[in-house]
Amino acid sequence: MSTELSKSIQYLKSIGPKRAESFSQIGINTIKDLLYYFPSRYLDRTNILKSIDVLKYVINGFDGEITIIGKVVESETIYANKKNIFKVKLKDSTGFFECVWFQGSKYFKDVFNEGQYFAISSKPVLTRYGHLQFVHPDFDRISEIESQEFLNTGKIIPFYRLPKQLRQSNIGDFSLRKIIQSAINSYSNYLEETLPNRLIEKHNFLPINQTIKNLHFPENYEMLNSAKKRIKYEEIFYFECLVAQNKFYKIDKEFTSPFKVKTSLVKDFLSTLSFELTKSQLNVLSEIRKDLESNKPMNRLLQGDVGSGKTIVALISMLFAIDNNSQCAFLVPTEILADQHFKTISRFLNKFNIKIELFISSVSKSNKAKIIDSIKNGETKIVIGTHALLEDNIEFNNLGLIVIDEQHRFGVLQRYKLVSKGNSPNILIMTATPIPRTLSMTIYGDLDVSIIDEMPKNRKPIKTILRGENKLPDIFNFILQKNKDGYQAFIVYPLVEESEKIELKAATTYYEEIKNNFLPSLKIGLIHGKLSWQEKEKVMFDFANKLYDVLVSTTVIEVGIDIPDANIIVINDAERFGLSQLHQLRGRVGRSDKQAYCILVTKNELALKSNNINYNFEYLSSSEIEKHKAAIRLNAMIKYSSGFDLAEIDFKLRGPGNIFGTEQSGIPNFRYINLVEDVEIITKAKEDAFHIINEDKFLLNHSNTIIKNILEKNYSSQKIFSSIA
Ligand code: ADP
Ligand code: MG
């Protein structure tokens, strides 16, 4: 870095030791640090009025937010309706307007001092006394000069976060702006380019000094957007370089013995299947086969909606491994699911002489020892288990393939532990939580992704409807009628409380009510979180065997067993479930060729009123989204049957971190890039990064020196996440 830029900020005029100390407390030491302290926002409301007299012309029929600048002429606090109401009057050379707050009068009194200038942003109203009024508007204090500049030249004014450390040493909005302005004037030309020229030219970016200048004091909106684009690109570009290096580095380092078709095992198995694989399944299988036939370990993520048939794909992959004398580990998150997979896979393979074991914590001690032995000596070819499989005493003879189901429930470390039990084993990760494209692109940059985007042919789309609680009698009647055609039903209630005791009580109450009052002629079962997994399994098993017509449950059926005749699911208080949970629940039905129904019951008036409205995010403000969240989720369930579509919506509603804890997924906290909105930039940056690293892994070419230096300087300490290690 240029020595000028690494100088302490004390070299700036208005900064002495005391202020320097305050800056240091928020991590700003050098001039460069300060140049990279960007505004958190700008005074950039789209509707800026040049003078107050125009206000009365826009008020009629105007339904948006405007920004207007005025000087405080007077303020008063009025006591009315047991409240202190704060009013402030502002003016410019053409007229007056008023701002009102019904809360916080003390605070606002200190803010709005006579003679000061403010930019006020809100939707104006006309009071019955003919005043133009803003109620609880947003406001920014600006200096008189700024207000002139703003009006005369349309300058965009930056606003910086002002942490208390800065406020304590008397740095306010204007002084910070001034400090940064002087830093830019004297030092921005020392900034060295941080991207190779060819990328700047390719994407028509501003040079680095122009980028930084315009991020602080934009010449106009076009320049501001251009600068933002570049800083975002740069952030994600360097991140993707790391991902790419990580990936290619791993590929370089690791070898496995390539698999070959040795016997007719896979073919024989395929001939026993009672159904045809879908095109999607076949495609994925050929991708997997290619991976397994190469001498690099497979690192593949398989995404597919609930019921799309991932298990059979995993099974066929395992047979390919077994044909090559390898062992397979099948890791699942819960005991009941492990047990289910064990039974399904044993059934599929009953004509073959392949030793399969179930390894979960509830296996008896003596059995455990036997299983551990047979894993160690290589006799067991497939072991299905929970995290119990990760324990140190489990050793494999020749672990060649690891399948991980419902991967997001496993932490990165746990995966690593399993990987270390083999010698660069192949890995297939399966998930039914579809991950939006942007996210998988970013966080699974070093995994190859396969997608099953097609349901087995015999499936009819599930009919999903939304009903108010007043319709419950009709719904029970529907269950009763359909039962005559052999339909079974799930009735789901959300977990009432964290407390298991209360949950148990609630589940039991619902159960008793349905059994005694609503559906007395049907056989009702109950399943809830207080049961052990064996008890849960017994209930599910009895349900599958038609000992019950209806199964009342809390959300424990989320991951459950195939029950072909259960073709109705009623979800109560549906507004309380998350989208992916609703989708998982719905996936419990519709596993046969009969028409299945998902009935969402809610008291949410907004949802019922907007039933079937297609929410368009582009036109919703964040506060509207907040208000409508439940309604948006429920309507999305009606409109979309694909988990991928729902995941996109969920992603928009919740942000990426919440889909599955950010830490676990290894997504860094990006400062500039927005994983939801900046798809285009991410795509370009990733393409560029992967292309460059692919051609020049160690960045030895002269043309890549800038990239190499920046990676070494800025990112060498950064812990690179990896999906596997
Ligand atoms: P998931 O992707 O949710 O794990 P499963 O693998 O459990 O789905 O498959 C759901 C059901 O569909 C299983 O009973 C499975 O045997 C069956 N199945 C899988 N593939 C097909 C297919 N191509 N045609 C018909 N049924 C299939
Ligand atoms: Mg599954």
Side-chain angles (χ1 to χ4, degrees):
M1 182 183 6
S2 135
T3 47
E4 290 297 313
L5 291 176
S6 50
K7 283 200 315 205
S8 152
I9 53 169
Q10 276 199 53
Y11 282 85
L12 294 170
K13 254 183 251 141
S14 45
I15 298 189
K18 206 175 146 236
R19 280 187 163 179
E21 173 55 30
S22 321
F23 273 108
S24 177
Q25 280 170 13
I26 61 164
I28 298 176
N29 296 301
T30 65
I31 290 179
K32 187 177 177 193
D33 294 339
L34 190 64
L35 292 182
Y36 276 84
Y37 189 71
F38 296 127
S40 54
R41 58 195 185 85
Y42 304 84
L43 194 53
D44 68 344
R45 320 278 164 161
T46 28
N47 292 299
I48 290 161
L49 290 192
K50 292 271 169 156
S51 62
I52 291 171
D53 59 352
V54 188
L55 202 52
K56 27 183 190 297
Y57 300 109
V58 291
I59 191 103
N60 283 328
F62 183 75
D63 195 31
E65 187 178 86
I66 58 166
T67 294
I68 187 141
I69 290 175
K71 179 175 160 185
V72 176
V73 285
E74 62 184 55
S75 67
E76 57 177 339
T77 305
I78 308 160
Y79 187 76
N81 293 330
K82 298 186 184 161
K83 265 187 193 154
N84 282 321
I85 301 170
F86 179 72
K87 281 188 178 177
V88 57
K89 196 167 159 189
L90 296 100
K91 72 159 212 161
D92 70 3
S93 60
T94 64
F96 293 92
F97 64 92
E98 193 179 69
C99 301
V100 188
W101 281 270
F102 296 100
Q103 279 152 14
S105 65
K106 267 206 196 113
Y107 170 78
F108 291 112
K109 204 172 149 202
D110 285 342
V111 172
F112 289 91
N113 293 316
E114 230 170 272
Q116 288 181 339
Y117 287 81
F118 283 88
I120 303 289
S121 304
S122 180
K123 185 181 150 179
V125 292
L126 199 59
T127 67
R128 58 193 148 129
Y129 307 110
H131 294 126
L132 281 168
Q133 201 181 57
F134 292 86
V135 181
H136 293 203
D138 285 345
F139 57 89
D140 292 306
R141 191 158 81 89
I142 52 183
S143 70
E144 184 175 357
I145 297 174
E146 280 170 341
S147 85
Q148 296 300 326
E149 283 185 347
F150 189 69
L151 290 177
N152 298 333
T153 61
K155 239 179 76 172
I156 303 163
I157 299 173
F159 283 85
Y160 297 88
R161 269 178 303 109
L162 259 181
K164 65 172 187 301
Q165 292 90 336
L166 296 190
R167 274 181 275 131
Q168 276 160 3
S169 56
N170 270 332
I171 297 172
D173 282 320
F174 322 136
S175 40
L176 183 56
R177 250 175 250 145
K178 266 203 182 133
I179 292 168
I180 292 178
Q181 178 93 65
S182 95
I184 285 183
N185 290 344
S186 323
Y187 293 94
S188 64
N189 286 333
Y190 292 105
L191 285 163
E192 280 163 21
E193 198 39 77
T194 48
L195 280 176
N197 246 328
R198 62 183 194 284
L199 288 180
I200 294 179
E201 276 167 20
K202 178 178 172 190
H203 299 295
N204 222 344
F205 287 141
L206 295 172
I208 187 67
N209 56 352
Q210 286 295 321
T211 304
I212 301 295
K213 264 190 208 169
N214 276 284
L215 282 172
H216 290 286
F217 300 100
E219 281 168 43
N220 52 46
Y221 285 111
E222 217 185 320
M223 293 291 262
L224 175 60
N225 285 334
S226 193
K228 278 185 180 167
K229 222 187 214 163
R230 169 170 171 166
I231 200 88
K232 285 176 178 206
Y233 172 92
E234 212 170 310
E235 178 175 47
I236 196 78
F237 171 77
Y238 281 107
F239 173 76
E240 293 294 350
C241 283
L242 293 178
V243 174
Q245 277 190 326
N246 198 26
K247 171 171 176 157
F248 293 125
Y249 175 68
K250 225 165 32 199
I251 289 179
D252 256 9
K253 214 178 54 174
E254 291 187 337
F255 291 94
T256 49
S257 37
F259 291 169
K260 284 200 290 275
V261 176
K262 295 206 163 137
T263 71
S264 60
L265 178 63
V266 173
K267 216 169 142 200
D268 293 346
F269 172 74
L270 289 175
S271 71
T272 66
L273 277 184
S274 61
F275 49 77
E276 262 175 49
L277 295 175
T278 63
K279 240 204 199 130
S280 246
Q281 286 171 317
L282 289 170
N283 282 342
V284 170
L285 277 167
S286 81
E287 287 169 343
I288 292 174
R289 179 172 170 178
K290 247 189 229 144
D291 286 354
L292 296 177
E293 283 176 343
S294 92
N295 62 356
K296 301 291 176 192
M298 171 167 78
N299 261 316
R300 191 166 282 281
L301 176 73
L302 172 55
Q303 296 189 40
D305 223 331
V306 208
S308 62
K310 294 183 293 293
T311 313
I312 198 81
V313 168
L315 179 52
I316 294 167
S317 313
M318 292 196 283
L319 290 176
F320 194 30
I322 292 166
D323 197 25
N324 285 269
N325 250 325
S326 277
Q327 292 173 285
C328 307
F330 197 137
L331 195 62
V332 293
T334 62
E335 306 221 319
I336 191 166
L337 198 57
D339 186 65
Q340 181 199 335
H341 277 321
F342 175 69
K343 287 188 176 129
T344 317
I345 289 174
S346 304
R347 214 179 311 121
F348 270 122
L349 295 182
N350 65 4
K351 295 208 183 72
F352 298 84
N353 185 20
I354 292 172
K355 195 166 167 65
I356 311 168
E357 294 288 358
L358 175 67
F359 193 82
I360 50 185
S361 53
S362 49
V363 171
S364 74
K365 249 203 182 136
S366 60
N367 263 339
K368 252 186 197 162
K370 263 189 231 151
I371 298 173
I372 290 175
D373 263 357
S374 85
I375 295 174
K376 195 170 172 182
N377 66 28
E379 230 177 280
T380 293
K381 293 302 174 194
I382 298 176
V383 54
I384 299 161
T386 54
H387 48 265
L389 267 183
L390 304 171
E391 281 159 26
D392 290 331
N393 56 351
I394 307 265
E395 285 169 49
F396 286 83
N397 182 320
N398 180 20
L399 177 59
L401 174 63
I402 297 170
V403 178
I404 302 176
D405 199 8
E406 307 292 343
Q407 67 87 25
H408 60 280
R409 299 194 197 198
F410 283 104
V412 170
L413 284 177
Q414 289 175 312
R415 265 181 256 153
Y416 181 65
K417 202 145 184 214
L418 196 52
V419 170
S420 67
K421 290 180 188 289
N423 185 13
S424 297
N426 297 285
I427 297 155
L428 180 66
I429 297 171
M430 307 199 291
T431 176
T433 309
I435 297 157
R437 208 169 60 90
T438 37
L439 196 59
S440 58
M441 233 162 53
T442 319
I443 65 174
Y444 295 119
D446 59 347
L447 283 187
D448 299 304
V449 178
S450 290
I451 296 176
I452 302 185
D453 55 7
E454 181 184 9
M455 285 291 180
K457 269 195 215 79
N458 56 353
R459 308 279 165 77
K460 283 204 182 87
I462 300 165
K463 274 197 185 142
T464 303
I465 50 176
L466 185 62
R467 291 289 181 264
E469 287 185 334
N470 58 335
K471 289 287 182 332
L472 276 171
D474 296 347
I475 295 170
F476 287 122
N477 197 28
F478 180 73
I479 293 175
L480 200 59
Q481 293 311 313
K482 281 284 175 187
N483 187 256
K484 292 177 186 151
D485 303 333
Y487 273 54
Q488 293 170 284
F490 292 107
I491 301 182
V492 182
Y493 293 90
L495 293 186
V496 193
E497 281 284 325
E498 310 262 300
S499 142
E500 287 184 349
K501 242 192 200 153
I502 298 180
E503 186 209 325
L504 179 60
K505 186 160 168 260
T508 320
T509 314
Y510 298 135
Y511 166 74
E512 296 286 341
E513 233 173 49
I514 288 172
K515 193 172 135 168
N516 300 330
N517 305 339
F518 299 121
L519 294 169
S521 63
L522 298 186
K523 292 167 288 183
I524 317 288
L526 171 65
I527 192 167
H528 57 77
K530 263 287 211 183
L531 301 177
S532 72
W533 77 269
Q534 288 98 333
E535 289 169 318
K536 282 180 205 160
E537 198 194 30
K538 182 168 185 322
V539 177
M540 291 303 278
F541 191 68
D542 289 346
F543 188 47
N545 286 329
K546 300 220 156 180
L547 265 61
Y548 307 120
D549 302 304
V550 171
L551 188 61
V552 174
S553 94
T554 52
T555 49
V556 286
I557 53 156
E558 204 183 325
V559 198
I561 292 176
D562 263 5
I563 310 215
D565 279 333
N567 273 312
I568 302 174
I569 185 163
V570 178
I571 305 177
N572 290 283
D573 293 327
E575 75 283 352
R576 291 174 42 186
F577 291 93
L579 249 190
S580 69
Q581 227 180 350
L582 286 173
H583 182 62
Q584 294 285 325
L585 283 170
R586 179 167 62 182
R588 293 300 116 213
V589 299
R591 293 182 160 240
S592 74
D593 51 4
K594 280 192 190 156
Q595 178 63 57
Y597 302 87
C598 171
I599 305 170
L600 305 170
V601 182
T602 183
K603 349 180 204 311
N604 186 305
E605 289 296 327
L606 213 51
L608 289 166
K609 253 192 274 173
S610 60
N611 192 351
N612 242 334
I613 285 185
N614 185 9
Y615 278 96
N616 191 338
F617 285 86
E618 279 168 46
Y619 300 114
L620 289 180
S621 69
S622 51
S623 65
E624 279 171 314
I625 289 183
E626 204 47 53
K627 206 166 62 192
H628 285 77
K629 265 184 182 173
I632 292 175
R633 285 200 300 269
L634 296 174
N635 278 300
M637 283 293 291
I638 296 169
K639 177 140 192 266
Y640 298 105
S641 54
S642 141
F644 285 93
D645 291 329
L646 292 171
E648 293 283 346
I649 291 172
D650 206 26
F651 191 50
K652 283 181 182 154
L653 286 177
R654 303 204 293 170
N658 295 325
I659 289 189
F660 27 66
T662 319
E663 270 154 51
Q664 225 187 63
S665 60
I667 316 173
N669 260 331
F670 291 111
R671 282 174 73 187
Y672 314 118
I673 198 95
N674 178 324
L675 290 175
V676 183
E677 283 161 11
D678 300 326
V679 184
E680 215 176 300
I681 299 176
I682 298 175
T683 312
K684 279 185 195 156
K686 178 167 186 182
E687 261 172 34
D688 290 344
F690 272 65
H691 181 76
I692 289 170
I693 303 292
N694 190 25
E695 305 227 300
D696 181 13
K697 280 180 200 83
F698 299 101
L699 297 168
L700 300 174
N701 288 348
H702 183 63
S703 64
N704 291 327
T705 307
I706 291 185
I707 302 175
K708 182 168 189 263
N709 289 345
I710 293 210
L711 280 178
E712 276 170 9
K713 221 180 309 165
N714 300 354
Y715 296 87
S716 58
S717 63
Q718 185 166 328
K719 212 178 102 222
I720 308 177
F721 80 87
S722 156
S723 306
I724 305 304

